[in-house]
Amino acid sequence: MFDIDGTLTDSVPMYLISVTRALLAIGILDIDTDYNNYKHHTDSYALRYNYERNFKEPFHNNLIEDLEINLIDQMNTFDPVKEIEGAKSLITFLREKKVSFCFATGALPKPAMMKLDQCSIWYDERVLATSKTHESREGFVLDAIEKAKRFYNNPHFDKIISVGDGIWDLKTAQNLSIDFIGIGDKNKIALLENGAKKWFSNLEEFKKSLISN
């Protein structure tokens, strides 16, 4: 199960700017941009949290559609994102070896698919779980697993591994008792200090480990 931003696509800085601008376009002027310290590292939570702190009234779910449209508009003002080196090759390898996999992202569906499309990384929307349906990472990670069971016609997986680059990915895996593999040097120390047992500097190293096994 793959996180997308920072794990498969080099899109984090661009996307955070896009989120801020998309919230502004909705009319939310006072935005807490300390996204890494949010309770939930997801688009839907960023929308609800900032909406309610600005307008002092309950959030309306129809605003998620507005945010999604605005996100695409903002992303189109940037150059297309690039893959994290080895991402496309890894996904192609897993497909060739008929290894079941899915995607779980805090982004909304259309922005997530846009990033994967820009990197020419294969996906199927039926194995993509996002924060459109679940504000918490635990919610859409469990959704991703259920989607994978249906897509691959497999009611039970012997082993489930979450692959991500962020502390929030690790914490979610720990909360759900799912194995975790960390990717990338940026958060290496923090991941290991917080209990990550396996970590690879890049996706090519991860792929080599799969081949050797």
Side-chain angles (χ1 to χ4, degrees):
M1 176 169 44
F2 290 96
D3 169 55
I4 294 176
D5 292 289
T7 302
L8 297 176
T9 65
D10 188 8
S11 50
V12 174
M14 174 280 295
Y15 198 60
L16 293 181
I17 294 171
S18 296
V19 169
T20 300
R21 291 177 179 174
L23 291 172
L24 285 170
I26 290 174
I28 302 172
L29 302 182
D30 181 15
I31 300 168
D32 180 359
T33 57
D34 190 10
Y35 297 114
N36 284 339
N37 286 320
Y38 275 21
K39 178 181 178 182
H40 301 298
H41 200 261
T42 63
D43 290 359
S44 56
Y45 177 76
L47 174 58
R48 182 176 68 81
Y49 167 63
N50 284 291
Y51 181 89
E52 292 181 353
R53 70 192 289 269
N54 271 253
F55 299 111
K56 313 301 181 187
E57 65 180 30
F59 160 77
H60 303 289
N61 279 331
N62 60 345
L63 289 173
I64 291 179
E65 301 288 344
D66 294 336
L67 179 64
E68 192 168 29
I69 292 169
N70 288 331
L71 276 169
I72 294 298
D73 289 341
Q74 294 303 325
M75 290 170 66
N76 277 322
T77 67
F78 292 87
D79 292 335
V81 300
K82 298 182 185 314
E83 67 166 334
I84 296 293
E85 187 174 358
K88 181 180 177 180
S89 173
L90 173 61
I91 296 301
T92 300
F93 170 79
L94 294 177
R95 292 189 72 204
E96 290 173 348
K97 297 299 181 182
K98 301 189 183 306
V99 176
S100 302
F101 63 90
C102 56
F103 306 90
T105 176
L108 293 174
K110 290 178 182 177
M113 291 186 286
M114 181 175 175
K115 285 174 277 192
L116 292 171
D117 283 334
Q118 288 178 344
C119 296
S120 299
I121 295 173
W122 181 93
Y123 68 90
D124 189 301
E125 193 172 355
R126 290 174 293 175
V127 288
L128 172 66
T130 74
S131 70
K132 189 167 187 175
T133 54
H134 296 89
E135 203 170 79
S136 73
R137 299 193 77 85
E138 286 81 1
F140 60 74
V141 163
L142 290 174
D143 187 28
I145 294 170
E146 291 306 311
K147 285 189 170 190
K149 288 179 180 178
R150 292 192 295 271
F151 185 80
Y152 295 104
N153 194 27
N154 184 351
H156 175 75
F157 293 114
D158 293 331
K159 192 176 188 64
I160 299 173
I161 301 172
S162 172
V163 182
D165 69 305
I167 291 296
W168 42 87
D169 300 313
L170 170 62
K171 293 295 186 182
T172 301
Q174 291 171 333
N175 291 341
L176 297 176
S177 300
I178 295 172
D179 288 340
F180 175 80
I181 291 178
I183 300 294
D185 294 326
K186 181 179 179 181
N187 296 319
K188 174 185 177 181
I189 294 175
L191 288 171
L192 295 177
E193 287 180 347
N194 281 275
K197 304 299 183 184
K198 292 184 179 180
W199 166 89
F200 294 94
S201 180
N202 54 61
L203 293 171
E204 289 291 351
E205 285 187 4
F206 178 39
K207 179 183 172 183
K208 288 178 182 176
S209 76
L210 296 176
I211 293 173
S212 64
N213 289 332

